[in-house]
């Protein structure tokens, strides 16, 4: 009952937060002249020849408050404008590119979180030992690597030197033709999952080959961050009274670390992991651009380079909503896992 009440309160708090996000994005929109803002109301490329009519129809020279509610009404109807870069509505562009990024996040996030937690736990349990020094050195190297450089090196090795062993993009040309044919049913638009559901193991294998390099690029950098965070949190937990008490009772060291210390040490990692997943879903611009992996990040990069105003603002609105919802999920998980949290009033 308490958790349900907390959930309801948090859902109600979402309303002013989302309202603030829309005001912020609309405020940025006012930096552009009416002719560029008119792109937010275009739903068909044939309308581009009648920009003056769109300005008049939607009152783009009217008072700001009136423009805001007109724009908000269009947002609620799913009209975010026209994306010149990809030749479709912004809403369709988000729907079209989201599955690619989501597929990348589904594979990369568990590797990053579980790998970082495991390495961080090992490093803390063997503080100042060989394992600790080795993992810390690896974390420094991994965290210091420029993503674009590391991605290019991987591609030169596994695509260039090994003659296309691990290629860029999402699928090979032959598999792209197959998944877009009438004999292949697109259930989720996630190539790996759709390949399994269609019993097309060629698609599954091809999708995995194309996922390896971007997933490794993301994982190496982010595992280093999670590992360092987990190590410092574990060291703090290992010095707490309840851990000393567990050791004094003669409990095995493995049980002390895994059951008593790690559970509480994972709370800050849990918070960061939620935002990490949101950041990947939000579009990893550099990684997707390097591997020509056509997801949200690739689309965002193309729109920014060509100053596609409606696409940029649509992407910003999607990002804002995604992070607000992620914050809600993280708060709920935090309240569920942290025994110190009082659902009515924070940490005591």
């Amino acid at each position: 009952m308490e958790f349900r009440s907390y959930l309801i309160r948090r859902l109600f708090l979402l309303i002013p937060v989302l309202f603030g996000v829309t005001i912020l994005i609309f405020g940025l929109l006012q930096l552009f002249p009416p002719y560029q803002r008119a792109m937010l109301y275009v739903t068909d490329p044939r309308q581009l020849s009648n920009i003056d009519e769109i300005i008049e129809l939607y009152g783009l020279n009217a008072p700001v408050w009136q423009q805001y509610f007109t724009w908000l009404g269009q947002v609620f109807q799913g009209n975010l404008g026209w994306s010149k870069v990809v030749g479709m509505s912004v809403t369709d562009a988000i729907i079209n590119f989201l599955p690619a990024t989501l597929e990348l996040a589904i594979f990369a996030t568990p590797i990053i979180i579980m790998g970082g937690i495991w390495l961080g736990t090992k490093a803390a349990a063997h503080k100042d030992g060989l394992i600790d020094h080795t993992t810390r050195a690896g974390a420094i190297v991994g965290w210091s690597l420029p993503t674009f450089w590391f991605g290019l090196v991987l591609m030169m090795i596994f695509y260039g030197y090994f003659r296309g062993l691990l290629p860029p993009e999402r699928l090979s040309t032959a598999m792209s033709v197959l998944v877009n044919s009438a004999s292949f049913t697109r259930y989720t638009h996630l190539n790996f999952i759709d390949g399994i559901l269609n019993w097309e193991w060629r698609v599954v294998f091809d999708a995995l080959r194309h996922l390896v390099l971007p997933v490794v690029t993301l994982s190496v950098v982010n595992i280093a961050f999670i590992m360092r965070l987990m190590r410092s949190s574990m060291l703090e937990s290992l010095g707490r009274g309840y851990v000393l008490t567990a050791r004094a009772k003669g409990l095995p060291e493995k049980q002390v670390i895994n059951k008593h210390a790690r559970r509480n040490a994972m709370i800050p990692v849990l918070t960061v992991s939620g935002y990490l997943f949101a950041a990947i879903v939000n579009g990893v611009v550099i990684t997707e651009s390097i591997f020509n992996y056509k997801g949200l990040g690739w689309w965002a990069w193309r729109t920014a380079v060509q100053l596609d105003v409606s696409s940029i603002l649509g992407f910003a609105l999607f990002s804002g909503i995604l992070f607000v919802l992620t914050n809600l999920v993280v708060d709920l998980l935090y309240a569920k896992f942290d025994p110190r949290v009082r659902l009515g009033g924070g940490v005591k």
Side-chain angles (χ1 to χ4, degrees):
M1 182 62 70
E2 286 184 351
F3 188 78
R4 185 184 301 175
S5 301
Y6 177 76
L7 174 61
I8 293 172
R9 288 199 306 272
R10 293 292 297 150
L11 289 174
F12 273 113
L13 284 173
L14 281 183
I15 298 174
V17 173
L18 290 173
F19 184 68
V21 169
T22 59
I23 290 178
L24 178 62
I25 292 174
F26 183 77
L28 294 174
L29 177 63
Q30 297 307 301
L31 299 174
F32 298 97
Y35 282 93
Q36 287 184 306
R37 282 186 275 131
M39 295 300 299
L40 293 172
Y41 304 96
V42 173
T43 57
D44 190 290
R46 289 172 294 184
Q47 294 178 291
L48 297 175
S49 59
N50 300 311
I51 293 295
D52 290 328
E53 293 181 11
I54 293 176
I55 293 174
E56 184 68 26
L57 177 64
Y58 292 101
L60 297 182
N61 291 316
V64 174
W65 65 267
Q66 184 176 335
Q67 292 185 49
Y68 170 74
F69 285 108
T70 301
W71 172 75
L72 195 61
Q74 292 295 308
V75 170
F76 281 128
Q77 295 175 33
N79 179 21
L80 300 176
W82 184 262
S83 177
K84 296 182 295 182
V85 170
V86 291
M88 64 180 72
S89 70
V90 173
T91 303
D92 288 341
I94 293 173
I95 294 172
N96 185 63
F97 292 114
L98 178 59
T101 304
L102 188 60
E103 191 168 40
L104 189 60
I106 289 173
F107 280 90
T109 306
I111 295 173
I112 294 168
I113 295 173
M114 291 189 293
I117 289 173
W118 185 77
L119 290 173
T121 303
K122 288 290 183 182
H126 299 85
K127 185 176 181 293
D128 295 328
L130 178 62
I131 295 177
D132 186 26
H133 290 308
T134 303
T135 53
R136 284 197 312 183
I140 292 172
V141 172
W143 186 244
S144 302
L145 287 175
T147 304
F148 70 91
W149 177 85
F150 185 59
L152 288 173
V153 169
L154 288 178
M155 191 157 62
M156 283 190 294
I157 295 172
F158 293 99
Y159 182 62
Y161 182 78
F162 287 103
R163 301 181 182 275
L165 177 64
L166 298 174
E169 302 187 0
R170 288 192 71 193
L171 288 173
S172 63
T173 303
M175 292 303 104
S176 295
V177 171
L178 174 59
V179 298
N180 290 307
S181 66
S183 62
F184 192 92
T185 305
R186 299 291 269 169
Y187 296 101
T188 64
H189 290 272
L190 304 175
N191 294 328
F192 176 78
I193 295 177
D194 285 350
I196 295 174
L197 295 177
N198 283 271
W199 292 88
E200 278 289 354
W201 302 107
R202 293 174 297 168
V203 174
V204 174
F205 177 71
D206 195 62
L208 288 175
R209 285 179 62 218
H210 286 76
L211 278 166
V212 170
L213 292 185
V215 167
V216 170
T217 301
L218 286 174
S219 299
V220 168
V221 176
N222 290 291
I223 279 179
F225 174 69
I226 297 294
M227 191 279 284
R228 295 180 68 182
L229 178 63
M230 185 65 188
R231 178 185 179 275
S232 62
S233 185
M234 272 291 294
L235 289 176
E236 183 181 351
S237 293
L238 288 170
R240 294 291 178 87
Y242 58 84
V243 173
L244 298 176
T245 301
R247 283 172 170 164
K249 290 180 177 180
L251 293 177
E253 185 67 12
K254 187 175 181 180
Q255 185 176 348
V256 171
I257 291 173
N258 293 334
K259 184 176 180 181
H260 295 276
R262 187 167 63 178
R263 179 181 176 88
N264 290 287
M266 284 180 60
I267 292 170
V269 177
L270 176 69
T271 303
V272 172
S273 299
Y275 293 114
L276 174 67
F277 179 78
I280 295 176
V281 173
N282 194 36
V284 187
V285 176
I286 295 176
T287 303
E288 292 187 359
S289 301
I290 289 172
F291 296 105
N292 198 28
Y293 192 88
K294 296 181 179 178
L296 287 175
W298 177 87
W299 175 60
W301 165 65
R302 292 285 304 277
T303 59
V305 169
Q306 299 187 33
L307 195 59
D308 189 346
V309 176
S310 57
S311 298
I312 292 171
L313 292 177
F315 180 76
L317 182 62
F318 171 80
S319 302
I321 294 173
L322 177 63
F323 275 99
V324 168
L325 294 177
T326 300
N327 185 64
L328 170 65
V329 174
V330 168
D331 284 349
L332 294 177
L333 291 174
Y334 191 91
K336 198 75 174 176
F337 281 92
D338 191 347
R340 300 169 298 171
V341 171
R342 312 283 185 183
L343 295 180
V347 178
K348 300 293 184 181

